Amino acid sequence: MTKLLHNATFYSMTAEGDCAEALVVADDGTISFIGSLEDARTAAPDAEAVDLEGATVLPGFIDPHGHFTGAMQYALYADLSACTSFADIEQRMREFMEARRIGPDGVVMATGYDQNALAEGRHPDKSVLDAVSTDVPLIAIHASNHMAVANSALLKLAGIDASTPDPEGGRFGRVEGTNEPDGYAEEPAAINRLFVVTQPRMNLDLASIADDMQLVYLEHGITTCQDGATPASMADELCKLADSGKLKLDVVAYPMHGEDVDAMLERHADFDSPNYRGHLRFGGLKMFLDGSPQGLTAWMTEPYVRGPEGEDDWVAYGTMTDEDALAFARKAVDSSHQLLCHANGDAASDQLLRVYAAAVEASDNPRKHELRPVMIHCQTARADQYERMAELGMIPSIFSSHIWYWGDIHLRNFGPERGGRISACGDAARCGLPFTLHTDTPVLRPNLLEAAWCAVNRVTKKGAQLDEDQKVTVYEALCAITKNGAYQYGEEARKGTLEVGKLADLAILDRDPFKEEPENLREVRVAATLKEGNEVYRG
């Protein structure tokens, strides 16, 4: 039934300050009118009137980078995010294991610890987890998802011992003075050796937790999200969810380097399209070139001010050779797929810019300049790199929430100049780039309004003011989570602004973000979320 939404301020996001007082949703879930209430009543005299009680309405928020299937951790993993010591980690994992009666045939997955927040100031090792159990395999995953720690039982099941070499693009921690593994694993090349054991033991039933996973996004006003590194097993599960009608929001999946992406796309050819099927589509391919700045694994051109102990010239390392990265970029460009690439350190950003330009130069694909490649995270991207992105038509998707959550750590690790300009949205804006903002869920919950607040204010947890030249306006920040997100996905004709003919994907807010003081933007709450005119969340 046609609906006439009124008694609200509707910001179209087509231009700063452009707003309306009524919006009509057609039977097909698209916007058929936006403008004055009087004209809306004339345009849709028989529409059902819906009073929004003075709310503010923006286009549904678009998550430009995250891991939708990773949201399962909120339902299935032990939460270590509040832990401040090894003792806290032990207690939380022991309580989780006992409450769920997990035995030796099962597994305890835990996530969210941050060595920067622990009293010990370092990563736990297998001895910490062995204090919880030596029979049940246990894994504690770092907040960045770039490091993990296993207990002795899991190391044994994974076949990791003193004879196991470090993989290319990753490493295993060693007991001091020996080759014996201490349980620590760094970057997916190493961590995946553990996941091969843990994932089958979870007996995952994605359909049973699909509603909980989606609520994580819908309660934050998000109507389009991303699965930004999809393995073959999860691609199969996502397609099952789509075909069974379980998806309430749009999910864009990106098969991951290291998998047989050709086979994955061939097996699910109906989803490899600009059009959604059951709210799912494959958007392109994903690779990553380095690690995490707060974990000291982001690949830098200049040394960290404070690197790992005993590493005064530490710049970390890349995870792919130029040869491998170029081959994967060519695969994307030649097949007309968008390439997403994780790059936190400026050396990794240099590598991406280098290999993508080479891939485009070598390709005969007539569409090679239309593919909108994306640099994910951009934590230490330099001004000259943003200029190069503009030349390549590359979109920066910036993890601006780092400013609040890890800004103080970056100041310590990089010093005031480099640490102060992390998440340099100002440079991106000055280069005319349609930058987007993300939270890398499940690293953080997908609170895109908070991500916008971080980009606008640039204040750390300890109250440090980072480089104010990199601030952006409230309007620019909200464009980054609405119309720029739609542009990144190539969906600007259907999403991102409130215009006739576009989907009625709406984020209904409890107050007007443009009338709040910039420092209060984070206090704005999502009251309801509509997908194609239908309410999918009510706070």
Side-chain angles (χ1 to χ4, degrees):
M1 182 177 180
T2 304
K3 301 172 187 174
L4 191 162
L5 311 184
H6 67 99
N7 191 13
T9 303
F10 297 85
Y11 285 99
S12 70
M13 299 304 294
T14 55
E16 188 168 5
D18 188 20
C19 60
E21 59 182 2
L23 181 147
V24 177
V25 181
D27 293 344
D28 64 357
T30 63
I31 298 169
S32 61
F33 176 87
I34 180 169
S36 71
L37 178 57
E38 180 180 357
D39 289 346
R41 286 171 171 158
T42 300
D46 299 322
E48 174 189 359
V50 180
D51 187 340
L52 296 183
E53 301 178 346
T56 297
V57 182
L58 265 63
F61 299 147
I62 295 176
D63 162 41
H65 177 66
H67 306 272
F68 171 68
T69 53
M72 73 175 71
Q73 75 178 41
Y74 296 120
L76 301 178
Y77 292 15
D79 182 5
L80 306 180
S81 60
C83 293
T84 59
S85 67
F86 290 171
D88 285 352
I89 291 174
E90 291 176 18
Q91 180 180 351
R92 180 70 188 100
M93 294 185 74
R94 187 177 292 111
E95 290 173 348
F96 184 88
M97 183 174 68
E98 292 173 354
R100 303 203 177 198
R101 299 179 181 179
I102 299 172
D105 292 336
V107 64
V108 175
M109 306 282 287
T111 190
Y113 87 84
D114 184 350
Q115 87 283 7
N116 297 296
L118 299 178
E120 293 81 0
R122 60 182 176 86
H123 294 276
D125 58 26
K126 65 183 179 183
S127 67
V128 176
L129 274 60
D130 283 350
V132 179
S133 178
T134 55
D135 298 320
V136 178
L138 312 178
I139 185 170
I141 303 166
H142 188 262
S144 69
N145 285 321
H146 282 267
M147 305 100 190
V149 180
N151 69 344
S152 296
L154 178 51
L155 289 173
K156 183 177 180 179
L157 289 168
I160 299 170
D161 57 27
S163 66
T164 305
D166 288 343
E168 183 179 340
R171 72 179 183 93
F172 295 111
R174 310 287 176 174
V175 175
E176 187 174 359
T178 75
N179 283 328
E180 179 188 346
D182 66 4
Y184 176 80
E186 188 173 276
E187 300 305 328
I191 298 171
N192 288 343
R193 286 285 300 270
L194 303 173
F195 285 165
V196 166
V197 175
T198 61
Q199 296 299 340
R201 285 172 168 256
M202 293 191 69
N203 298 315
L204 182 63
D205 179 7
L206 210 60
S208 68
I209 59 172
D211 286 348
D212 291 337
M213 291 166 60
Q214 291 176 90
L215 179 61
V216 172
Y217 292 89
L218 296 173
E219 67 186 359
H220 289 105
I222 293 171
T223 52
T224 300
C225 74
Q226 183 183 109
D227 194 57
T230 309
S233 59
M234 283 301 166
D236 294 342
E237 294 297 324
L238 284 172
C239 292
K240 289 177 186 176
L241 286 181
D243 283 337
S244 62
K246 291 282 189 179
L247 294 179
K248 302 175 183 177
L249 75 168
D250 290 340
V251 180
V252 189
Y254 289 79
M256 177 175 63
H257 174 265
E259 299 276 329
D260 187 345
V261 296
D262 295 326
M264 204 185 310
L265 294 173
E266 183 178 354
R267 184 165 64 253
H268 302 297
D270 289 346
F271 292 94
D272 186 19
S273 165
N275 302 313
Y276 289 90
R277 171 175 162 178
H279 292 295
L280 174 69
R281 71 179 182 90
F282 289 165
L285 305 181
K286 168 72 182 296
M287 69 179 183
F288 71 96
L289 297 179
D290 72 340
S292 152
Q294 70 271 34
L296 303 176
T297 57
W299 185 22
M300 305 298 298
T301 57
E302 298 179 16
Y304 287 75
V305 171
R306 179 176 172 177
E309 188 174 350
E311 296 280 358
D312 293 337
D313 58 352
W314 180 250
V315 294
Y317 53 87
T319 58
M320 294 177 69
T321 65
D322 268 22
E323 182 180 12
D324 288 344
L326 176 57
F328 197 72
R330 278 291 305 271
K331 182 185 290 291
V333 173
D334 288 345
S335 61
S336 295
H337 282 101
Q338 183 185 52
L339 178 69
L340 265 60
C341 184
H342 167 120
N344 264 316
D346 66 333
S349 299
D350 278 338
Q351 185 183 30
L352 172 59
L353 294 167
R354 182 170 64 246
V355 301
Y356 196 81
V360 171
E361 176 67 24
S363 179
D364 294 327
N365 184 355
R367 295 191 55 223
K368 63 184 182 181
H369 296 295
E370 305 170 9
L371 303 178
R372 302 180 187 177
V374 183
M375 183 184 292
I376 299 293
H377 302 328
C378 309
Q379 279 307 293
T380 60
R382 307 183 306 265
D384 65 289
Q385 291 174 326
Y386 284 116
E387 293 170 359
R388 184 64 176 133
M389 287 184 225
E391 293 170 359
L392 291 172
M394 184 175 288
I395 299 168
S397 186
I398 302 173
F399 195 170
S400 58
S401 301
H402 262 256
I403 294 166
W404 170 258
Y405 286 94
W406 293 287
D408 298 300
I409 306 302
H410 298 326
L411 288 172
R412 184 189 72 187
N413 291 342
F414 294 120
E417 182 176 347
R418 283 187 297 168
R421 69 177 305 281
I422 61 162
S423 301
C425 298
D427 281 346
R430 283 186 285 274
C431 286
L433 290 163
F435 69 91
T436 61
L437 302 176
H438 66 263
T439 63
D440 202 14
T441 301
V443 173
L444 296 172
R445 287 183 180 264
N447 187 344
L448 293 182
L449 284 171
E450 182 178 65
W453 174 86
C454 289
V456 168
N457 292 282
R458 296 188 60 80
V459 176
T460 74
K461 274 187 177 182
K462 292 184 178 180
Q465 177 66 68
L466 301 188
D467 188 349
E468 295 193 72
D469 194 43
Q470 300 303 334
K471 286 182 175 181
V472 293
T473 68
V474 170
Y475 178 70
E476 287 173 317
L478 294 180
C479 282
I481 62 173
T482 54
K483 69 178 181 181
N484 291 2
Y487 179 83
Q488 179 183 305
Y489 285 127
E491 298 184 43
E492 66 270 25
R494 295 284 280 169
K495 297 177 181 176
T497 58
L498 303 183
E499 297 180 82
V500 172
K502 293 192 176 184
L503 295 178
D505 291 355
L506 310 175
I508 300 176
L509 310 179
D510 68 349
R511 66 194 84 173
D512 191 329
F514 294 108
K515 293 181 179 177
E516 294 288 319
E517 292 297 321
E519 60 266 28
N520 295 330
L521 179 60
R522 186 165 57 169
E523 305 306 315
V524 178
R525 295 288 180 266
V526 174
T529 304
L530 273 61
K531 177 67 178 140
E532 296 169 25
N534 296 314
E535 186 173 285
V536 287
Y537 167 75
R538 168 69 61 175

